[in-house]
Structures are given as C-alpha cells and as structure tokens.
Amino acid sequence: MNSSRQKEVSERFSDGIEKVTEKDISSVLNRKEKAFRLSRHLEKAADDFKLLWNLLCDYQSGSYKEVPWKMIAATVFSIGYLLMPLDVIPDVIPIIGFTDDITVFGFVLAGFSAELDSYKIWKQCHPSSPDTVSGEEEK
C-alpha cells in the first residue's frame, strides 16, 4: 500500500474510533457469520481476529472489563471496517482488496499489545468463560 493510502487508512482509523458507541458493539457482534467469513482474508492476523472477537464478547457480557474503552472502540471499528465492502481499497479488488483491512487490524494489535497480553492471561485463568469462537462454523 502506498504512503498516501496508508495515511488515509490511519486517518479513518483515528476518526472512526472516536465515533464508536456501546451500541456499535452489538451491531458488529450480530454480524458474526459474515465477520468470520471475511476474517480469512486477514492472513496472519486471522487468529488475532478471533482473540479480538472473544474480547468483545467478554466485554459485552461483563465478564471482562479490565480494558480501556479506546481498545474496545478500536476493535469494534476494525471489525466494522472489515465488514464494509467500500473502504480505502475496495475489497472486490483481487489480491490487494484486503490490504487496508489488514492494516487496520495491525493498528489495533500494535497499539494495544500489552492489553491483549493481559486478556490472554485472563482468558487462560478463566476457563469457565466461554470461548465464543470454539466450534464456529466458518463458511
């Protein structure tokens, strides 16, 4: 991705997370099937997508609240961005169509790595908390 597109994606990301509300969490989580189908295009970040999905589910259920709102907003925005077919680089463009989506997930993973590590530890220590992607039928 060229630098002007990278800058545009970065600006959309920054602007987008400022607009996310609690209601947006449900809106994104209600589109699970499509989100998981599209997450396959995230390449190496596909496993991280599942972790972020679980984080949102645990946050929404109230079982995990030890996370800053900005991370929740960034996660909601990144999944919402993945669900949007017309973004900086339209997803219908073969091969490069998901480059911007991968970049957006990269922003979340890089910007909140310590929080993600804490969540991973919490998840391991709370086996009673359901893994919301186990047995997921990915179509």
Side-chain angles (χ1 to χ4, degrees):
M1 179 179 347
N2 66 34
S3 62
S4 67
R5 286 213 169 140
Q6 176 102 15
K7 183 179 178 191
E8 185 178 350
V9 170
S10 179
E11 288 171 359
R12 269 204 202 175
F13 178 76
S14 296
D15 292 343
I17 63 174
E18 297 298 323
K19 297 174 183 170
V20 171
T21 67
E22 288 276 340
K23 288 172 63 175
D24 295 325
I25 298 171
S26 295
S27 177
V28 164
L29 292 177
N30 286 335
R31 299 177 71 193
K32 183 177 183 176
E33 184 178 317
K34 183 176 183 181
F36 273 83
R37 186 170 24 87
L38 292 172
S39 74
R40 292 188 207 153
H41 297 285
L42 297 176
E43 299 171 0
K44 295 176 185 174
D47 287 338
D48 294 316
F49 169 85
K50 292 174 185 177
L51 179 69
L52 292 171
W53 188 271
N54 276 329
L55 172 69
L56 279 185
C57 290
D58 286 334
Y59 180 85
Q60 185 183 47
S61 74
S63 59
Y64 187 76
K65 293 285 189 179
E66 300 301 316
V67 60
W69 170 252
K70 190 170 185 175
M71 181 180 180
I72 294 300
T75 301
V76 169
F77 179 81
S78 65
I79 295 172
Y81 193 85
L82 177 67
L83 292 165
M84 246 187 324
L86 298 174
D87 40 37
V88 174
I89 302 173
D91 297 341
V92 296
I93 299 174
I95 301 171
I96 65 164
F98 286 92
T99 306
D100 56 331
D101 302 80
I102 294 167
T103 301
V104 168
F105 273 91
F107 292 153
V108 177
L109 299 173
F112 299 100
S113 61
E115 290 85 350
L116 276 173
D117 289 342
S118 295
Y119 175 68
K120 286 178 194 175
I121 293 167
W122 178 86
K123 195 72 170 165
Q124 290 172 350
C125 295
H126 292 82
S128 62
S129 175
D131 180 350
T132 57
V133 296
S134 287
E136 173 64 29
E137 183 178 324
E138 297 180 29
K139 297 178 182 178

